[in-house]
Amino acid sequence: MATINFGGVEEHVVTRDEFPLEKARAILKEDTIAVLGYGVQGPGQALNLRDNGFRVIIGQRRDSASWQKAEADGWVEGETLFSIEEAAARGTILANLLSDAGQIAVWPTLKKHLTAGKTLYFSHGFGITFNDQTGIIPPPDVDVILVAPKGSGTSLRRLFVAGGGLNSSFAVYQDATGQAYEKAIALGIGVGSGYLFETDFKREVYSDLTGERGVLMGALAGIIEAQYQVLRQRGHSPSEAFNETVEELTQSLVPLVGENGMDWMFSNCSVTAQRGALDWKGRFRDATLPVLNELYDSVASGQEAARTIQRGSTPGYRRELEAELQEVRDSELWQTGATVRELRSKATKKVEEGYALFAEGN
Ligand SMILES: NC(=O)c1ccc[n+]([C@@H]2O[C@H](COP(=O)([O-])OP(=O)(O)OC[C@H]3O[C@@H](n4cnc5c(N)ncnc54)[C@H](O)[C@@H]3O)[C@@H](O)[C@H]2O)c1
Ligand SMILES: CC(C)(O)[C@@H](O)C(=O)O
Ligand SMILES: [Mg+2]
Ligand SMILES: [Mg+2]
């Protein structure tokens, strides 16, 4: 394991160079990985594992959209696609990729099949860390590990297909066999991780819940809505408000941040923009600090987990969630976004046609 210095702090990181795929395959050669749940993370991990040469089966509720999706992805009923219980019985590694609330309902079934020496795998520290609420308390003679890709299952799969890898956290909660650690790393490599960063279940879930409610999703969506509203109320057109809030962010500036850091993005903008951004960033930081601290407290107290469980266990909740998303989709802001994206794809087609004509002429 490499020790890498991050801004002055040393951390342990596993790289694909030191832990190649062949080694991962050798460690798991006797195992059957049962991926339970075929929502977002399930397909990404299962397909990457299958393409990487591991023995994988899927456990999913029949008569669900996810079951049909699994069939469309080439999983075959009775061979590689089973009910959750059947897959849990057949698997030696049970990858619990049901929704966090769904994991509670299915736990009694899963527990029955967690016989000595098996491995219980999660992609979130949720079920274990908040086990006073989830009741997920594994028997002592199984390994309990975590590999949490730091991004959507969709990106995990897309990056893998493109030949890259998404960074993941990994952790061992319980090492009954003495092999939990290397199994966690082998699975991390198998699901298509780029680098694997060591953590523990609690730190993973605290940072994950804070990140997605904060900058990654909640704060991002909120601040976009606020700026769009201000621009619209001050007389700007929808397209102008959208372009200055979202389109430029996603198409121009955030990719530059990803490529070479915030200062580099700044230095590729005008001096006027840099002056203003440096002057105002402190105001935004200070305005959001109390909210982010409140959010972290809500995560650490278990309040966020309680809400996730309470809402996620309510019958018909998926429909309610879809209605909330529909409201976002139908708003002027995101309807404008749809039109801007359409123009973007037309423009891309025009450029491609231009290249094709140019190529033909040569
Ligand atoms: N979505 C992501 O990209 C992502 C990223 C990192 C980690 N995670 C973690 O991975 C795990 C899976 O997340 P997801 O977003 O893929 O899940 P999801 O919400 O898409 O649900 C996965 C599956 O769970 C099944 N399910 C839900 N409730 C059930 C129940 N009561 N009985 C039987 N089946 C039930 C659904 O049919 C679905 O196929 C979670 O722990 C999540 O926090 C997700
Ligand atoms: C993709 C995310 C936001 O990183 C993940 O944490 C999730 O819960 O879906
Ligand atoms: Mg999450
Ligand atoms: Mg996350």
Side-chain angles (χ1 to χ4, degrees), residues 191-309:
V191 301
S193 307
Y195 290 90
L196 283 158
F197 296 85
E198 194 174 357
T199 186
D200 59 44
F201 276 57
K202 184 170 156 183
R203 282 186 290 155
E204 193 283 329
V205 68
Y206 281 20
S207 57
D208 189 80
L209 293 178
T210 302
E212 67 202 16
R213 281 154 177 71
V215 169
L216 301 177
M217 295 171 69
L220 177 72
I223 200 169
I224 283 173
E225 284 179 14
Q227 179 169 301
Y228 183 86
Q229 187 178 320
V230 167
L231 289 172
R232 286 290 287 132
Q233 282 174 352
R234 305 297 177 115
H236 298 267
S237 67
S239 65
E240 190 162 58
F242 187 85
N243 282 333
E244 275 310 329
T245 305
V246 180
E247 192 67 357
E248 181 169 336
L249 177 78
T250 60
Q251 302 306 301
S252 171
L253 302 188
V254 160
L256 292 178
V257 177
E259 208 176 300
N260 230 349
M262 189 65 81
D263 63 302
W264 195 70
M265 182 271 269
F266 273 32
S267 67
N268 280 282
C269 297
S270 67
V271 168
T272 310
Q274 290 178 56
R275 180 68 271 130
L278 288 166
D279 288 347
W280 278 88
K281 90 174 168 59
R283 291 281 300 277
F284 282 106
R285 184 195 54 222
D286 296 348
T288 53
L289 254 176
V291 185
L292 286 164
N293 270 310
E294 198 182 312
L295 164 58
Y296 194 91
D297 288 340
S298 182
V299 168
S301 69
Q303 224 174 296
E304 292 303 305
R307 178 158 165 77
T308 302
I309 294 167

Side-chain angles (χ1 to χ4, degrees), residues 16-169:
R16 286 204 266 188
D17 291 341
E18 63 175 288
F19 206 101
L21 186 55
E22 300 74 55
K23 185 171 169 184
R25 279 200 208 111
I27 288 168
L28 303 180
K29 68 178 186 305
E30 304 296 337
D31 282 298
T32 297
I33 305 161
V35 172
L36 309 173
Y38 207 74
V40 182
Q41 205 50 228
Q45 296 195 22
L47 293 171
N48 291 359
L49 282 163
R50 184 172 75 180
D51 289 352
N52 271 335
F54 295 87
R55 197 178 307 114
V56 187
I57 59 173
I58 306 296
Q60 172 59 37
R61 269 191 298 210
R62 277 196 178 80
D63 305 323
S64 62
S66 297
W67 176 278
Q68 284 164 15
K69 180 173 161 44
E71 286 187 320
D73 286 345
W75 306 98
V76 179
E77 183 169 3
E79 288 176 28
T80 52
L81 177 59
F82 302 94
S83 69
I84 292 173
E85 174 144 25
E86 179 73 28
R90 288 171 179 254
T92 55
I93 296 173
L94 307 191
N96 198 341
L97 298 183
L98 301 161
S99 70
D100 292 304
Q103 291 180 18
I104 299 172
V106 174
W107 176 242
T109 308
L110 229 64
K111 200 175 167 188
K112 269 199 296 191
H113 296 288
L114 273 172
T115 46
K118 282 198 183 185
T119 300
L120 176 60
Y121 165 105
F122 294 92
S123 285
H124 205 9
F126 192 100
I128 292 286
T129 304
F130 299 113
N131 63 11
D132 57 332
Q133 299 185 54
T134 64
I136 297 179
I137 299 170
D141 50 6
V142 301
D143 292 341
V144 183
I145 60 178
L146 167 155
V147 174
K150 293 290 113 183
S152 166
T154 306
S155 320
L156 183 74
R157 181 63 182 161
R158 281 185 186 168
L159 271 168
F160 177 85
V161 169
L166 194 67
N167 289 338
S168 298
S169 295

Side-chain angles (χ1 to χ4, degrees), residues 169-188:
S169 295
F170 76 98
V172 173
Y173 176 73
Q174 195 166 281
D175 185 3
T177 65
Q179 291 161 342
Y181 202 76
E182 58 177 18
K183 280 195 172 174
I185 297 173
L187 282 159

